[in-house]
Amino acid sequence: MFNLKNIFSTIAYVGEMSVTLDATERSGVSPSAHFFGWGSDARPLSVDAEASLSGVGHRESTTYHSVDFERLVQGEDVPAARPPAAPCRTGTELSGPLKIVEILQAGLVASDMNDISVWPGNASNPGAGKGGVGDRYSAGQIHAVVDFTTVSSISGGPTWSLRHFEGPGKGLLNASRVAKHQLIFTFIPICIRNKYQRIKATLPHEYEPKLPRGTPRWANYLPPCGTARAAETRAVALGRAHDVNVMERSRELRILQ
């Protein structure tokens, strides 16, 4: 039945993830004082004084990481990847608060709705022709942006109330930190893994044993992973995934500006 393990043991996906860490830190001193009780009863006098000194620091880093989904499910063609070491090892490499499993499942189900007749010349449909939208798009491509922001702040200070003075104020010292963590990924299907043997060379291909239930219909247009065409498609897919991620990152920066 349909599940991610079946799909990734059938279809080889490659792609790229970009991870951005963006943190802004502010700190400052804002003393205030209130002088009162001066002058006479007829002409009372009070004086308020305030000062402020602050600094802002900003750090941002973006790293790009290639991903080979074949290594998530061990097969005849490639060994499984080494699991994460403690304390991160939980046995569920795609599970967690980022909900990557749900994104992949939704993407695979939705990708089955693609009408492959409009994808000629595409890397995911090799040999389908030269017309149409070209190789800028891929049936089965999954792209997502996940980000979350944490905000922390602290402020305080003593307040002394004397006969003619009150200060320096509860906001004497203040500090805050705003951190945005963003994950952008693009995954592209490239070939059918070696567990399945192609028994029909013309498009759409047929494989033995039959591809698992729930496999998207465009999978029959993918070449076997052991072919030269699959190796070429892998290189093209990695480059295209990087281009998509960079364009998404540029769009995010334009929105912030």
Side-chain angles (χ1 to χ4, degrees), residues 105-121:
Q105 288 174 335
L108 285 166
V109 171
S111 69
D112 193 32
M113 300 168 60
N114 283 301
D115 186 341
I116 57 177
S117 66
V118 301
W119 301 91

Side-chain angles (χ1 to χ4, degrees), residues 130 143 230 247:
K130 299 295 184 182
H143 172 74
M247 286 190 295

